[in-house]
Each structure stands twice: as structure tokens, then as C-alpha cells.
């Protein structure tokens, strides 16, 4: 089957066509992504209204390019999938409404995809792994450990109680006067700094839980910057390096604990940790997670970075996975600004 996937939940306008064969193997026929970095750069972050307008302006063309790149006509797809949430509601509405129009015009099934499920299933798209597996989701405002039992079957083991990891990177970058998005800027400068110069706190790390907290760490970074002001370039690099080291240690410790729980609750199952979301691009965090996985005797799976960040292929694949199990949605399905991955309406028996 071939599925068109549309992604507009934040500041990437994306469309893709993915093919899933009878054995569940995937082929990405096209994957077109347009970033909105230039539109939002003057504002230091994503402006929801501007994001929605950009989706309106560019989505039709992106879909046309996806079909052309795949070498097929839109009428040849078997279904249309679109992110229906969570995300910036204006952007979500643009993508979902477009998908509804295409599905209605072509007489094709519609699949309303949870953006987080699309991330959760990406490792099956890229690596073909079987269920179950443990996932660390670090995407946008989400930092979670999730047990992935199957399509629509997720158990959240831990989450952030305040800022998500990506938000923490962006806020640290902003208070240091760096560019947006903040993650790549912090990582770049961290490579030039002393990671041991500042001893930042590791909130919740001594507690027996799998939750995260990054708000206090962000505050500690701000206080360190104020104490060192005026900051030299080396001060900024050292703060970035120390912050990144602290984050990597927190994530590594939590990953080891999560893998221990997985081994205890699912004895005999292959021990696998999947990392999903844009923060997976950070090399220091990736190295820390690889070390944690190695010590636990687990396999670490990080999909290619272009498929970790927001894209249409992951949405198309999630749609294909659901379609293969007979799950489709009515044309009046609603967009959702909030949509937890472990909510009751994720199940296949309930629809989405």
C-alpha cells in the first residue's frame, strides 16, 4: 500500500509518500520538508500565526513535489494520513483540513495520526524492529520514556514535570544570546568549552522515578551567567559545555533505570532502546545513551536524523501501520492541540 503523509504540527511543512509491502517492509518513495526557520528567525522562536500562514502558502506545492518525486499521481495512493495533533493548533488544522479535502476528492481513506505515535513508530520504518521496545521521546515539548507494545498501545513510564529537554536547550540558548533553534547552537559552542567548569544540579536524579525536571537546571545556568557577566566567548562555551554534560548525565542515568525496569517487566524480550525526536541529533546525548545501552546489554536505535526531526515520512508510515490493521477515521475527525500518547483514544478499537 502507498500512503501520503502530511505534517504541519509546528514549523516544518512536510509531505511524503511511503510504501508498505505485505510483509511490513517500508520504502520511502519521497520525503519533502520545508523549514520555516527564516520566517521565525527575527522573533527568536516559532510564532504560531506565522507558522500556520506559511503552511497555507506552501503545503499544496509540497504535496505536489512529494507526488512528483515518488513518480506517481496522487490518485494512486491508497490512503491519506495527516498529523491531527498534538501541536500548534493552527498548523495542525491546515494539514488535517488539506488531507480531508484530498481524501474526499479521491475517495481514499483518511488516517488522523498522533504526531507522537509517528515518532514512536519511526524505528519500524527505518529498522523494521518488532514490538515491544522502549522509547525515549525527546521531541518539542515532550521528554518521555514510553513502552511501545504495538500500534496504538503505549505505556508512559516517565515524563518531564516542567520543561522538556528541547525547551531547556532553546531557553539556555536564548539567555546566552545564541541563535534559534537553540539546540544546535548550544552543541556547537559546547565542543569549544570546558564541560567541568560549572557544576550544575541534576534535578530528581536521586529519586526512584523515571521523570525529568529541567527548570531548575535552566535557572542554575542563568545564575551562572549572571555571576560571570559580562560574559566572554569562552564563558559562554564553558556554560554550554557544562550544561550539555549535565543533561547527558541525567538522560544516561534515567535510561539505565528505564532499561532495568524493562528487563524486569518483560523478561525474555530483546532489550532495545529507541530514541525519537529532534534532540536525538545531539552527539553528546547520543554517546551517553549508547554507553548506557552498552552497560545494560541493550541495543540502541537512533533513526537517521532527518527522520528524527519532524517530517512527512513518519506520518505516512504511522498511517500505513494503522491502515494495515484496518484503522481509518471519519472526515469530521477533530484536530487536537493536546493528545497524550497513552490516552484511551489511541487504541485501534476506539479509533483516533
Amino acid at each position: 500500500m502507498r500512503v501520503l503523509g502530511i505534517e504541519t504540527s509546528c514549523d516544518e511543512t512536510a509531505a511524503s509518500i511511503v510504501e508498505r509491502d505485505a510483509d511490513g517492509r517500508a520504502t520511502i518513495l519521497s520525503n519533502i520538508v520545508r523549514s520555516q526557520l527564516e520566517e521565525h528567525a527575527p522573533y527568536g522562536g516559532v510564532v504560531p500565526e506565522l507558522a500556520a500562514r506559511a503552511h497555507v502558502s506552501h503545503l499544496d506545492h509540497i504535496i505536489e513535489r512529494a507526488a512528483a518525486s515518488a513518480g506517481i499521481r496522487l490518485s494512486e495512493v491508497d490512503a491519506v494520513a495527516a498529523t491531527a495533533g498534538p501541536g500548534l493548533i493552527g498548523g495542525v488544522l491546515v494539514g488535517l483540513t488539506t488531507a480531508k479535502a484530498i481524501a474526499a476528492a479521491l475517495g481514499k481513506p483518511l488516517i488522523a495520526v498522533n504526531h507522537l505515535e509517528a515518532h514512536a513508530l519511526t524505528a519500524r520504518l527505518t529498522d523494521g524492529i518488532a514490538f515491544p521496545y522502549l522509547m525515549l521521546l525527546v521531541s518539542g515539548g515532550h521528554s518521555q520514556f514510553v513502552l511501545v507494545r504495538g500500534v496504538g498501545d503505549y505505556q508512559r513510564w516517565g515524563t518531564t514535570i516542567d520543561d522538556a529537554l528541547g525547551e531547556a536547550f532553546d531557553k539556555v540558548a536564548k539567555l546566552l544570546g545564541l541563535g534559534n533553534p537553540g539546540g544546535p547552537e548550544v552543541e556547537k559552542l559546547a565542543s569549544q568549552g570546558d564541560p567541568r567548569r560549572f557544576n550544575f544540579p541534576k534535578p530528581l536524579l536521586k529519586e526512584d522515578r523515571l521523570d525529568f525536571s529541567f527548570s531548575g537546571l535552566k535557572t542554575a545556568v542563568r545564575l551562572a551567567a549572571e555571576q560571570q557577566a559580562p560574559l566572554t566567548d569562552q564563558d559562554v562555551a564553558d556554560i554550554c559545555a557544562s550544561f550539555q554534560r549535565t543533561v547527558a548525565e541525567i538522560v544516561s542515568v534515567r535510561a539505565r533505570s528505564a532499561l532495568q525496569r524493562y528487563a524486569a517487566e518483560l523478561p525474555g524480550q530483546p532489550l532495545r532502546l529507541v530514541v525519537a525526536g529532534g534532540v536525538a541529533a545531539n552527539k553528546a546525548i547520543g554517546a551517553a545513551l549508547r554507553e548506557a545501552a552498552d552497560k545494560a546489554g541493550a541495543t540502541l536505535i537512533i533513526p537517521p536524523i532527518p527522520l528524527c526531526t519532524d517530517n512527512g515520512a513518519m506520518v505516512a508510515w504511522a498511517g500505513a501501520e494503522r491502515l494495515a490493521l484496518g484503522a481509518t477515521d471519519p472526515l469530521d475527525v477533530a484536530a487536537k492541540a493536546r493528545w497524550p500518547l497513552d490516552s484511551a483514544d489511541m487504541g485501534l478499537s476506539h479509533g483516533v
Side-chain angles (χ1 to χ4, degrees):
M1 67 179 73
R2 293 170 176 171
V3 176
L4 167 67
I6 298 171
E7 160 59 26
T8 56
S9 67
C10 192
D11 60 337
E12 279 87 20
T13 309
S16 170
I17 295 176
V18 170
E19 185 173 77
R20 183 185 190 276
D21 69 17
D23 295 322
R25 291 187 294 263
T27 302
I28 299 174
L29 302 181
S30 64
N31 191 27
I32 309 299
V33 181
R34 182 190 180 276
S35 171
Q36 299 179 9
L37 281 177
E38 291 186 4
E39 285 96 331
H40 301 284
Y43 305 96
V46 177
V47 180
E49 290 184 3
L50 291 181
R53 291 175 192 168
H55 292 314
V56 170
S57 297
H58 298 284
L59 182 56
D60 288 351
H61 178 59
I62 294 295
I63 293 171
E64 290 175 0
R65 287 179 57 196
S69 180
I72 66 172
R73 297 185 299 273
L74 277 182
S75 60
E76 295 180 90
V77 302
D78 297 291
V80 183
T83 296
L88 301 177
I89 194 63
V92 173
L93 282 167
V94 172
L96 184 58
T97 301
T98 301
K100 290 178 179 181
I102 294 173
L106 298 179
K108 304 292 183 179
L110 172 73
I111 302 104
V113 171
N114 183 307
H115 180 83
L116 306 182
E117 179 170 59
H119 279 302
L121 299 177
T122 297
R124 287 173 53 79
L125 166 67
T126 59
D127 293 73
I129 68 171
F131 299 116
Y133 51 87
L134 177 66
M135 174 182 66
L136 171 60
L137 175 64
V138 278
S139 170
H142 305 275
S143 295
Q144 304 174 355
F145 280 108
V146 178
L147 174 62
V148 182
R149 292 184 178 275
V151 177
D153 187 0
Y154 308 97
Q155 183 181 355
R156 185 169 54 186
W157 282 2
T159 189
T160 178
I161 65 172
D162 42 56
D163 289 344
L165 184 51
E167 292 173 328
F169 268 96
D170 287 342
K171 289 178 179 179
V172 166
K174 188 172 183 178
L175 70 87
L176 293 176
L178 306 180
N180 184 69
E185 293 295 322
V186 171
E187 182 178 15
K188 177 182 176 181
L189 289 176
S191 66
Q192 305 166 25
D194 177 4
R196 298 289 174 181
R197 178 177 171 187
F198 296 95
N199 186 25
F200 292 132
K202 305 176 183 67
L204 299 185
L205 208 57
K206 294 183 179 180
E207 297 187 20
D208 186 19
R209 58 199 289 194
L210 294 176
D211 294 322
F212 296 101
S213 173
F214 296 108
S215 180
L217 172 57
K218 176 198 65 181
T219 300
V221 171
R222 176 176 58 80
L223 292 174
E226 290 175 351
Q227 290 170 359
Q228 297 297 319
L231 296 174
T232 65
D233 290 345
Q234 191 59 52
D235 290 333
V236 173
D238 292 346
I239 290 174
C240 288
S242 299
F243 166 76
Q244 182 174 266
R245 173 184 62 82
T246 302
V247 166
E249 290 181 7
I250 292 171
V251 172
S252 177
V253 170
R254 281 289 182 260
R256 290 199 298 270
S257 297
L259 287 167
Q260 289 172 0
R261 176 175 172 179
Y262 185 98
E265 294 191 12
L266 290 87
Q269 290 288 349
L271 198 55
R272 294 170 300 197
L273 174 61
V274 169
V275 185
V279 182
N282 184 284
K283 292 182 175 60
I285 293 176
L289 286 170
R290 192 167 302 282
E291 182 180 359
D294 289 344
K295 288 182 178 179
T299 300
L300 178 68
I301 298 172
I302 303 178
I305 298 307
L307 296 178
C308 283
T309 54
D310 292 351
N311 64 90
M314 69 179 193
V315 176
W317 176 251
E321 291 262 64
R322 285 188 162 258
L323 185 63
L325 297 172
T328 62
D329 294 280
L331 290 176
D332 62 354
V333 63
K336 302 177 183 181
R338 296 179 59 83
W339 193 1
L341 193 54
D342 55 348
S343 59
D345 59 0
M346 282 300 300
L348 296 175
S349 61
H350 298 282
V352 288

